[in-house]
Amino acid sequence: DKAFADFKIADVLMILYRLIWDEFCGWFLEAVKPSEGKMAPSSLETVKSHFEELLRMLHPFMPFITEELWQLLTEGEEDRTICTAAYPAKRDWSEEAVQKFENTREAITLIRAQRSQKGMSPKEALDVTYSGDAHFCEDILSKLANLQSLNAVSSSPEGMSSIRVKQMEFYLDLG
């Protein structure tokens, strides 16, 4: 909103690009993608709703492409066009939820880096323990970091690689 208000159109486009490519495609879709089988209808509706919001934000810059995608998403709903759809209103997000996801993302990134440094395949499941308050999304961490187990401990285990995210310490059994 600030970049729009300041007429910094290139900044708006870069923010939208990062939002769509990095946040929506890179993190959100990977987090909600089912491990096997079909996605739950409620999850699919949430994904669709967020995608429609992204299309409405992108529409002023790419009207023909966004209209075509909008029509495919709203098939069967006559006289519905993105041209008359309201621009998404600003929302207040829970700071706690945002911080919890940021911690999760940082832990996933660091675990993947540790794996890569040790020459381990991302497909090889890891056993991870952690100490400190569990201020992260356990299910997303387990899924995106490919963890076999994730357990809390009170003291640091011997002979394990460790990473630190805020006040949490993660111990990786890299064999």
Side-chain angles (χ1 to χ4, degrees), residues 17-65:
Y17 172 80
R18 287 190 185 121
L19 176 65
I20 293 166
W21 189 249
D22 297 342
E23 305 301 325
F24 184 76
C25 296
W27 286 101
F28 180 69
L29 289 180
E30 286 300 314
V32 299
K33 181 173 67 175
S35 299
E36 48 189 64
K38 288 187 173 185
M39 184 179 284
S42 61
S43 296
L44 186 57
E45 281 306 310
T46 301
V47 169
K48 196 173 167 183
S49 171
H50 287 311
F51 187 62
E52 285 179 359
E53 274 190 87
L54 292 172
L55 288 176
R56 287 185 280 148
M57 286 189 272
L58 195 56
H59 182 68
F61 305 102
M62 303 176 77
F64 300 109
I65 293 170

Side-chain angles (χ1 to χ4, degrees), residues 138-167:
E138 290 186 35
D139 53 340
I140 294 173
L141 178 64
S142 293
K143 179 181 175 183
L144 297 184
N146 191 17
L147 304 184
Q148 183 171 303
S149 65
L150 178 63
N151 300 302
V153 293
S154 55
S155 61
S156 61
E158 297 278 327
M160 292 181 139
S161 294
S162 69
I163 58 169
R164 186 165 194 68
V165 177
K166 304 287 185 277
Q167 291 80 28

Side-chain angles (χ1 to χ4, degrees), residues 3-14:
F4 252 136
D6 294 341
F7 297 102
K8 294 184 176 180
I9 304 305
D11 291 353
V12 172
L13 281 169
M14 188 50 71

Side-chain angles (χ1 to χ4, degrees), residues 18-132:
R18 287 190 185 121
L19 176 65
I20 293 166
W21 189 249
D22 297 342
E23 305 301 325
F24 184 76
C25 296
W27 286 101
F28 180 69
L29 289 180
E30 286 300 314
V32 299
K33 181 173 67 175
S35 299
E36 48 189 64
K38 288 187 173 185
M39 184 179 284
S42 61
S43 296
L44 186 57
E45 281 306 310
T46 301
V47 169
K48 196 173 167 183
S49 171
H50 287 311
F51 187 62
E52 285 179 359
E53 274 190 87
L54 292 172
L55 288 176
R56 287 185 280 148
M57 286 189 272
L58 195 56
H59 182 68
F61 305 102
M62 303 176 77
F64 300 109
I65 293 170
T66 54
E67 182 66 42
E68 183 67 24
L69 292 170
W70 184 268
Q71 292 301 320
L72 291 170
L73 279 174
T74 60
E75 228 172 329
E77 297 177 36
E78 301 216 5
D79 299 328
R80 189 154 181 237
T81 176
I82 196 170
C83 293
T84 58
Y87 195 80
K90 183 180 177 183
R91 280 195 243 166
D92 290 325
W93 297 95
S94 159
E95 284 298 319
E96 183 180 347
V98 170
Q99 189 57 56
K100 196 172 181 180
F101 185 77
E102 288 302 320
N103 292 345
T104 305
R105 182 181 2 207
E106 186 176 344
I108 292 166
T109 302
L110 292 171
I111 290 169
R112 287 176 175 175
Q114 284 284 320
R115 243 188 234 275
S116 179
Q117 285 177 351
K118 300 289 185 190
M120 293 180 72
S121 168
K123 294 179 181 179
E124 193 175 332
L126 286 180
D127 291 315
V128 172
T129 55
Y130 67 93
S131 61

